[in-house]
Amino acid sequence: MTVRRDFKEPARCRPDLVIGREEQVAQAREQLGRGGSVLLHGPAGIGKSTLLRALAAQYADAARTVLRCSATESESHLPFLALADLLGLALDEVSDQLPAAQRTALESALTGRGESTLQRDGLALRLAVLSALRALAAAGPVLIVADDLQWLDPASAELLGFAARRLGDTPVRMLCAVRTEGQEYDRHLRASPPDTLAVRLNPLSRTQVSDLLDHRGYTGLSRSTVREIHRTSGGNPLFALELGRALAESPARPRPGEPLPVPTSLRALVLSRLENLSDEVRHTLLVASAGARPTLALLHAAGRENAEAETAQAATLGLLATESEGPAVRFAHPLISAALYAEAAAQERRAAHVALSTAASDPIERARHLALATTGTDPEVAARLAEAATLARDRGAPSVAASLGLLAARHTPADGEPTPEVLRLQAAEDAITAGDLDLARDIAREVLSRTTVPEDRVRAWIIVIDTAGHAMTEVDSVFPQALADAGDDPKLLALIHYQLAWRGLLVEGDFDEARRAAAYSAELAERAGDRYTELMALSFQAQIETLMGHTNAPATIRRALTEPQDPRVACHHNGAGYSRFRWLIMSDQLAEARATVTALLREVRRRGSVESEVHFLRGVAETELRSGHCGRALDLAREGLRLARDSGIGEVASAVLTSIAEASGGEVDRALALAREAVEHAEEGGDQVYISRALAALGYAQLVAGDAPEAVRSLRRVRELEQALGITDPARGRWHGDLAEALVRIGEPAEAQDLIDVTREQAMRLGRESVLAVLDRAEALVRASRGEHDAAVAQLTSVQDRLAKLGYGLEEARTAFVLASLRTRRPTGTSYDEAARLFRRCRALPWLRQVDAAADASPPEPVAQQPVALDGLEGLASMERQVAALVMEGATNREIAGRLFISVKTVEATLTRVYRKLGIRSRVDIVRLAAGRRAK
């Protein structure tokens, strides 16, 4: 009989997606794949059982026999229960293969008949379990899956551990999970084979928690709510899902500044230890849970005279963290604080906030507690909250300002000044600054349902438009309503026409229309005395003119930079500072461009402006990429993409830049995936500008991947789109040289030359020196394809020198690569060392791999050109010779990787090629071969 206890979990329990565990899954799969065992460990609710089920479902088919047990706390006192779960159904198959004494002892333990105990039948039982597993394994691989090892009855744990330590090469794998609060999992390894891999499951990131909530259907939660769920849950998936479910089922959301509602299930889980606390200790903990940064001094000031003793008692029960981290009173888990607050009566909460409203030293905290202690409208409270919101805004905490602004609106009478709607609109604008677009949109919609005041309504419409980002087709219906509300007020019309300028660019792809709308918005704003909108419109006009290659762009930038300035515009991502940065980087002034955008990034981080930070991170990354600092650019691009995805701001643009950075200094496959994702999302959103930019990134990644036909397909589309859009400045996308190179590769030099001629005329008119150099590189390839080899080499030599002087490190390295490739075609051959050196300096790993491949395919260099120590290594490519030379010096693979700026995997792959080419087997043979040649 074949015992197949596969895991047929109910559909509702079987996860079809394991979120945020890619690394742990990969580790476990690798271990199980080579016949090893795995122990998953982590705190309650962290997802051990979910991962266990997913791995068991994947590897069960590879085993002939699957044995499973899942212990519980209530049954952990029953001896041999887990063993009965594991071997009960398998006993009939193996019992006749066991010695009589072992069989009797095992049957007695598993069936409960007789009085078998470890004390009386210890050796026989231990040997019986070992023999039973060996007998099952003799017929085919065995997989043991055990969940919640911490509840295994001691007898079963002892027997299983005895067998596991003695299985050796027997094909028995164990896949187990155990609850641990820290790293104390060693004692559970005694029930596992000696080579078991322990995999700890850590908390999920905020993005992963968001993905988990979306996967489970909790999609209506705002980003600020998701952030609070992540904070309160501590990244624990079970806690996060329970909090999400409670919010989804609750008809009312928590007031601004209040903790999340904690469902009864979680309260019972984390507050079971409160039964042993006195009322005084409970009250002290409630005050601590209501405070943002509770300390013993704050608790004393709030009237908790015995705070030291009471918090010490709570710490002994595991409610407070015991390790010292300064004066702070820290809960062992954020959920404990939230559950304490949720468990308290409303009157108790208000009393805690009353005490903290005078005890807190920070004016923002005092105002927040005063608001939460007050019911109904109160002009004095509202005024203090508005002042606190201003202070938070000045401190660079826009999310705090938004929360305080909403509290101020709640406590402001309907006839107050400013009105509740004005306060709500300011809170919405603060939410946009903080990157919480969902909250801003919700506030604006609420204002529109409440007010008939034209100025408030137009301001709310503008917020709705702003939160749409580049997907402006979604808010097309808003513009007629906003224009109707604006009437003939030039100030309100200026706001709307500024947004219409963006619509003309993003939706219609009409640069002339966008430029006209921006200029008209500036004119209206000047007439109304609205300097902020005037400066923003002028800055946007300058950006459009820069993209168009319009001769007025520098003059418009100067107009946007004239005094008086508005500090809100100075570091805005659509302000004149960023327009100037774009002009500088397109004009090859890389050093000044870097200084400009770095200063902007520093300032917006101080102010807490998430949207501008996303833009400026891309700007810094782009500058580093142009300068040939690919590793630095990739780090910045990835950081910007994470922030964009977390906030929902600029995701397409960030994916485009990250794709280019990946193709230059990271992984080409990831570059291709990001570019395709960006193309898809831009097309879905009707974003005409970023469709072309995403396609340009895709074409570049395809070129780096060696797929010239697909690169041509993508970049031809870019050419068509930009011609239709009226983009004439080739420095905007810098795809022209890539398309020309790809065209030469597929045998279309005539089309390549035509593209070069047209683009060169535009670049010369605008003085784009780096673009002209790249076009000359492409033209050299055209010449080489026509047999004009010497002319091509001379042209490339000049191009490399020009790009080096301009500071375009990556383009310089690419030119050296092309130059080496052309010289290699000559009978004398050449070396790729210069190209490899330049690419290593740039950290351009994908390009380095191309150099390796080209060097492998190139003819061997003359022996006379080799160093004496490498006479025995003729026929090796450049990179192979360098690695071999370092091996002869005694360098390890890691040391070689560090010295050559390549990965350890690349070193290993290079050595494999060296062994194959030289017919040897090890590093020692390299040294022997070279030493033997030198001795001759």
Side-chain angles (χ1 to χ4, degrees):
M1 178 184 74
T2 300
V3 181
R4 299 297 299 269
R5 297 190 62 188
D6 292 336
F7 293 84
K8 303 298 183 184
E9 300 290 341
R12 60 182 174 83
C13 297
R14 191 185 307 123
D16 55 4
L17 183 64
V18 179
I19 293 172
R21 303 301 185 199
E22 292 78 9
E23 182 179 351
Q24 293 90 338
V25 168
Q27 290 176 337
R29 283 176 175 168
E30 183 179 355
Q31 176 76 354
L32 292 168
R34 59 172 174 250
S37 297
V38 172
L39 176 68
L40 307 172
H41 66 100
I46 203 66
K48 302 180 298 297
S49 298
T50 298
L51 187 53
L52 188 81
R53 286 195 297 267
L55 289 168
Q58 180 176 353
Y59 285 92
D61 289 340
R64 175 183 178 273
T65 305
V66 179
L67 309 175
R68 181 190 184 220
C69 72
S70 183
T72 63
E73 183 178 13
S74 62
E75 298 172 342
S76 60
H77 67 286
L78 299 174
F80 307 121
L81 182 61
L83 192 66
D85 285 342
L86 284 171
L87 294 176
L89 296 181
L91 186 59
D92 290 343
E93 182 178 359
V94 299
S95 61
D96 59 350
Q97 302 178 49
L98 304 180
Q102 295 180 21
R103 181 171 62 249
T104 300
L106 185 59
E107 288 177 346
S108 177
L110 296 186
T111 62
R113 296 191 297 271
E115 297 181 358
S116 180
T117 65
L118 275 180
Q119 287 73 24
R120 194 181 72 180
D121 301 316
L123 181 59
L125 270 174
R126 288 173 172 84
L127 293 175
V129 174
L130 178 60
S131 299
L133 291 176
R134 285 174 172 167
L136 288 170
V142 175
L143 175 65
I144 298 175
V145 183
D147 200 1
D148 283 320
L149 280 187
Q150 74 277 2
W151 303 132
L152 227 63
D153 63 273
S156 296
E158 170 62 28
L159 293 171
L160 193 59
F162 176 87
R165 291 189 294 273
R166 290 163 175 80
L167 285 170
D169 295 332
T170 306
V172 176
R173 288 178 296 180
M174 295 185 67
L175 175 58
C176 306
V178 62
R179 180 186 302 177
T180 55
E181 292 304 324
Q183 296 291 336
E184 306 83 9
Y185 58 89
D186 290 351
R187 65 187 181 89
H188 298 289
L189 287 174
R190 66 183 178 216
S192 305
D195 63 342
T196 297
L197 173 69
V199 178
R200 177 165 179 80
L201 302 190
N202 292 313
L204 299 180
S205 68
R206 188 166 61 190
T207 301
Q208 291 163 348
V209 165
S210 178
D211 291 342
L212 179 65
L213 292 167
D214 287 345
H215 176 63
R216 293 301 180 91
Y218 305 133
T219 55
L221 303 173
S222 68
R223 292 182 186 274
S224 58
T225 301
V226 171
R227 282 198 294 270
E228 187 61 19
I229 288 175
H230 177 259
R231 188 198 66 79
T232 303
S233 68
N236 185 294
L238 173 64
F239 297 171
L241 287 172
E242 285 296 296
L243 291 167
R245 180 183 59 79
L247 280 168
E249 294 175 355
S250 174
R253 297 296 165 88
R255 294 167 60 188
E258 284 188 342
L260 296 175
V262 180
T264 305
S265 59
L266 290 186
R267 293 189 208 178
L269 179 65
V270 300
L271 298 182
S272 57
R273 289 161 284 189
L274 286 182
E275 297 173 358
N276 300 319
L277 296 179
S278 67
D279 289 342
E280 290 300 310
V281 176
R282 282 173 180 257
H283 191 70
T284 295
L285 291 180
L286 173 60
V287 175
S289 71
R293 293 173 296 277
T295 62
L296 288 173
L298 178 66
L299 294 176
H300 279 300
R304 309 311 303 161
E305 297 176 356
N306 299 316
E308 286 90 348
E310 290 163 352
T311 54
Q313 184 180 349
T316 61
L317 294 175
L319 293 168
L320 296 178
T322 54
E323 64 269 20
S324 176
E325 290 189 4
V329 174
R330 190 168 65 84
F331 284 90
H333 193 282
L335 188 62
I336 297 175
S337 173
L340 273 164
Y341 190 90
E343 189 77 7
Q347 185 176 354
E348 292 178 313
R349 295 183 204 171
R350 284 196 294 273
H353 287 297
V354 167
L356 289 168
S357 67
T358 56
S361 59
D362 185 81
I364 292 177
E365 275 302 291
R366 288 199 300 271
R368 184 178 75 88
H369 289 301
L370 182 61
L372 295 173
T374 305
T375 58
T377 59
D378 187 319
E380 183 180 347
V381 171
R384 287 182 59 181
L385 284 164
E387 291 172 3
T390 301
L391 180 58
R393 198 175 302 120
D394 292 341
R395 287 182 181 179
S399 61
V400 175
S403 176
L404 293 168
L406 290 175
L407 284 171
R410 181 186 293 272
H411 290 288
T412 299
D415 57 353
E417 185 58 40
T419 67
E421 308 316 324
V422 168
L423 292 168
R424 289 189 178 94
L425 289 169
Q426 179 61 64
E429 290 164 358
D430 287 330
I432 290 177
T433 302
D436 197 341
L437 305 186
D438 297 334
L439 176 61
R441 187 184 303 109
D442 290 345
I443 296 171
R445 294 289 186 187
E446 181 183 359
V447 169
L448 287 166
S449 69
R450 291 171 176 265
T451 186
T452 58
V453 177
E455 185 173 357
D456 292 349
R457 290 186 62 81
V458 170
R459 193 173 166 190
W461 288 126
I462 296 301
I463 290 169
V464 172
I465 295 169
D466 272 342
T467 56
H470 283 199
M472 297 191 77
T473 53
E474 298 176 2
V475 292
D476 266 350
S477 61
V478 166
F479 288 100
Q481 299 176 72
L483 287 168
D485 283 329
D488 57 1
D489 186 327
K491 182 176 180 179
L492 301 181
L493 288 171
L495 294 171
I496 300 168
H497 281 280
Y498 175 72
Q499 297 293 342
L500 284 169
W502 278 101
R503 186 188 180 282
L505 176 67
L506 298 176
V507 178
E508 302 297 334
D510 189 333
F511 277 62
D512 287 325
E513 176 58 32
R515 178 174 177 268
R516 283 193 294 270
Y520 185 46
S521 173
E523 178 188 329
L524 288 167
E526 182 182 19
R527 192 190 311 165
D530 181 359
R531 184 61 173 164
Y532 173 81
T533 304
E534 180 188 1
L535 290 172
M536 291 294 291
L538 286 171
S539 300
F540 186 43
Q541 181 184 342
Q543 287 189 47
I544 299 168
E545 290 172 348
T546 299
L547 291 174
M548 296 172 69
H550 200 289
T551 55
N552 285 357
T556 307
I557 292 175
R558 285 194 295 272
R559 283 182 63 199
L561 289 171
T562 57
E563 297 295 336
Q565 285 290 305
D566 187 309
R568 294 173 296 170
V569 179
C571 61
H572 194 282
H573 55 276
N574 289 323
Y578 194 66
S579 297
R580 181 171 177 271
F581 159 72
R582 294 303 322 165
W583 178 260
L584 288 169
I585 198 169
M586 292 173 72
S587 302
D588 301 323
Q589 300 178 59
L590 295 182
E592 194 172 353
R594 180 189 290 109
T596 299
V597 74
T598 302
L600 289 169
L601 177 61
R602 185 165 51 246
E603 178 62 18
V604 298
R605 280 177 166 167
R606 187 188 70 79
R607 291 171 176 262
S609 177
V610 174
E611 185 170 8
S612 292
E613 182 179 355
V614 170
H615 278 74
F616 297 153
L617 271 171
R618 286 202 304 272
V620 178
E622 182 182 354
T623 309
E624 297 292 350
L625 198 57
R626 300 274 175 245
S627 303
H629 306 147
C630 297
R632 171 68 173 154
L634 183 57
D635 290 342
L636 288 163
R638 286 173 174 171
E639 180 185 354
L641 182 59
R642 284 193 297 270
L643 184 59
R645 286 180 167 167
D646 188 42
S647 63
I649 295 171
E651 293 180 77
V652 172
S654 297
V656 167
L657 194 280
T658 308
S659 171
I660 298 171
E662 290 282 358
S664 300
E667 297 295 333
V668 179
D669 288 344
R670 179 164 170 76
L672 291 166
L674 282 169
R676 291 186 178 112
E677 173 191 325
V679 171
E680 180 183 351
H681 289 172
E683 288 177 338
E684 287 176 356
D687 187 338
Q688 297 298 312
V689 171
Y690 269 97
I691 292 174
S692 70
R693 300 197 72 167
L695 283 167
L698 178 60
Y700 173 66
Q702 289 164 334
L703 184 66
V704 178
D707 192 348
E710 285 303 311
V712 168
R713 189 190 309 274
S714 298
L715 295 174
R716 276 175 175 162
R717 275 195 67 195
V718 176
R719 188 181 189 186
E720 294 169 0
L721 286 168
E722 293 206 351
Q723 284 176 344
L725 289 169
I727 297 175
T728 60
D729 191 336
R732 181 256 184 184
R734 297 179 183 268
W735 49 267
H736 311 76
D738 292 336
L739 176 54
E741 181 176 337
L743 286 166
V744 173
R745 289 190 189 184
I746 68 169
E748 296 288 349
E751 183 181 346
Q753 188 63 57
D754 176 68
L755 171 66
I756 292 166
D757 292 341
V758 172
T759 309
R760 179 181 283 136
E761 182 181 346
Q762 297 167 341
M764 290 181 68
R765 176 175 62 85
L766 296 167
R768 305 300 192 225
E769 291 299 326
S770 62
V771 174
L772 288 168
V774 170
L775 291 172
D776 283 351
R777 182 179 69 208
E779 188 172 59
L781 287 170
V782 174
R783 287 182 169 181
S785 71
R786 294 171 177 168
E788 302 171 23
H789 187 275
D790 292 339
V793 169
Q795 189 169 19
L796 286 169
T797 304
S798 170
V799 167
Q800 185 177 345
D801 182 60
R802 288 154 58 194
L803 288 168
K805 289 178 179 177
L806 289 169
Y808 281 77
L810 182 58
E811 296 296 348
E812 178 193 357
R814 287 181 63 179
T815 307
F817 184 25
V818 174
L819 187 57
S821 300
L822 290 186
R823 285 174 172 165
T824 302
R825 301 174 191 175
R826 306 296 282 180
T828 57
T830 191
S831 171
Y832 284 93
D833 288 353
E834 173 70 0
R837 181 185 69 81
L838 291 173
F839 280 133
R840 279 198 300 275
R841 186 182 69 183
C842 294
R843 300 284 294 168
L845 301 182
W847 287 104
L848 263 176
R849 288 189 279 271
Q850 286 203 27
V851 171
D852 284 347
D856 284 346
S858 66
E861 296 186 16
V863 175
Q865 296 179 9
Q866 304 298 325
V868 174
L870 296 180
D871 282 349
L873 306 180
E874 307 98 328
L876 297 184
S878 169
M879 177 63 70
E880 293 165 355
R881 287 196 307 278
Q882 293 179 69
V883 170
L886 290 172
V887 167
M888 283 185 279
E889 293 176 12
T892 66
N893 287 2
R894 187 170 296 280
E895 289 169 343
I896 294 170
R899 290 172 66 174
L900 297 181
F901 300 103
I902 58 178
S903 68
V904 174
K905 288 187 176 179
T906 300
V907 175
E908 294 168 351
T910 303
L911 281 173
T912 300
R913 293 197 300 272
V914 170
Y915 300 156
R916 185 177 65 252
K917 288 183 177 182
L918 298 181
I920 59 179
R921 295 184 177 182
S922 70
R923 299 162 62 95
V924 175
D925 291 335
I926 295 178
V927 179
R928 287 173 178 167
L929 177 61
R933 291 298 180 91
R934 284 195 297 269
K936 294 178 183 180

